[in-house]
Amino acid sequence: DGGITQSPKYLFRKEGQNVTLSCEQNLNHDAMYWYRQDPGQGLRLIYYSQIVNDFQKGDIAEGYSVSREKKESFPLTVTSAQKNPTAFYLCASRALRPSGANVLTFGAGSRLTVL
Amino acid sequence: GQQLNQSPQSMFIQEGEDVSMNCTSSSIFNTWLWYKQDPGEGPVLLIALYKAGELTSNGRLTAQFGITRKDSFLNISASIPSDVGIYFCSNNNDMRFGAGTRLTVKP
């Protein structure tokens, strides 16, 4: 079955530590996205990538870094520079065909808690 | 950038009641998308709208693409407990989302 997998589902880290969240898709989608969701809040775009080896900052990129070395993978690193990293992180992907819906498919999310 | 405003922010309804929520944009959209997020999960696409004035149904869900192309509404008829969640609107352009409408259904 095709889908998008995020891991781990739950992650606890001490303040000041970097942490990397994994996102893998086998949908052959071109573009991948990372969102942050705080309790009772909407989805805020952190970073996105439309092609391998290229990515762009979203609305809240400070304190985060990404890489896109393979089409299937788009890991997100939450660095110690992120002042308030505790949140629910969602990865998504979509195709970029000239015609067609090209809507987002989301992973199940990773909940990061910084102690 | 464009702004997406969803209303209401939250709704508390009785099982069986109908629900209506809407989304407005500061700019014209070519596509309106409605997603639902179950607690602790990622959002899932409910309905996609591609033409101004389009009215689309999916079971108990009905959504419309506003004539001005700056708004859309989503209706849920005869709500059930599993309708609980957060409903988001979005477009297919810059991948931003509204703040969501949180729906609670009391049995």
Side-chain angles (χ1 to χ4, degrees):
Chain A
D1 286 333
I4 182 165
T5 302
Q6 290 187 240
S7 63
K9 178 69 175 175
Y10 299 96
L11 187 59
F12 296 87
R13 279 294 182 266
K14 291 183 179 179
E15 200 170 323
Q17 289 182 331
N18 291 357
V19 59
T20 297
L21 307 180
S22 169
C23 180
E24 303 277 334
Q25 54 98 1
N26 59 4
L27 300 164
N28 198 31
H29 281 174
D30 308 286
M32 297 186 74
Y33 303 80
W34 274 105
Y35 294 89
R36 170 183 172 137
Q37 186 177 30
D38 293 285
Q41 302 296 315
L43 309 178
R44 292 187 290 168
L45 183 63
I46 304 173
Y47 267 101
Y48 64 100
S49 167
Q50 295 185 304
I51 194 169
V52 173
N53 292 323
D54 189 39
F55 47 82
Q56 284 75 41
K57 293 181 179 180
D59 300 322
I60 55 165
E62 186 175 349
Y64 300 97
S65 65
V66 293
S67 62
R68 187 89 186 276
E69 297 177 1
K70 299 187 300 181
K71 187 176 184 179
E72 303 79 18
S73 178
F74 191 41
L76 173 74
T77 297
V78 185
T79 75
S80 56
Q82 169 49 237
K83 298 304 179 191
N84 186 17
T86 295
F88 190 53
Y89 291 88
L90 285 159
C91 180
S93 68
R94 68 170 184 152
L96 294 176
R97 303 184 191 99
S99 61
N102 295 335
V103 298
L104 289 173
T105 299
F106 281 87
S110 292
R111 186 169 299 279
L112 172 63
T113 302
V114 175
L115 306 172
Chain B
Q2 57 88 17
Q3 288 185 333
L4 273 173
N5 296 305
Q6 282 191 250
S7 64
Q9 286 188 335
S10 60
M11 303 181 74
F12 297 83
I13 63 169
Q14 223 40 64
E15 184 177 357
E17 289 183 358
D18 296 343
V19 172
S20 184
M21 61 189 78
N22 66 54
C23 195
T24 59
S25 169
S26 58
S27 56
I28 289 174
F29 280 7
N30 293 319
T31 309
W32 278 100
L33 306 171
W34 285 93
Y35 292 81
K36 182 201 176 193
Q37 183 182 28
D38 287 330
E41 299 294 328
V44 174
L45 182 71
L46 295 175
I47 286 183
L49 302 158
Y50 300 104
K51 290 197 309 186
E54 180 182 355
L55 184 71
T56 297
S57 293
N58 179 6
R60 294 179 296 107
L61 305 178
T62 302
Q64 184 156 29
F65 193 141
I67 291 292
T68 65
R69 295 169 62 193
K70 288 187 175 184
D71 64 333
S72 176
F73 73 73
L74 175 69
N75 286 349
I76 305 172
S77 62
S79 59
I80 59 178
S82 63
D83 289 333
V84 164
I86 305 176
Y87 293 79
F88 292 104
C89 62
S90 180
N91 64 45
N92 218 21
N93 183 20
D94 67 1
M95 299 297 111
R96 265 66 172 186
F97 287 78
T101 293
R102 183 179 295 271
L103 178 63
T104 301
V105 180
K106 293 177 279 188

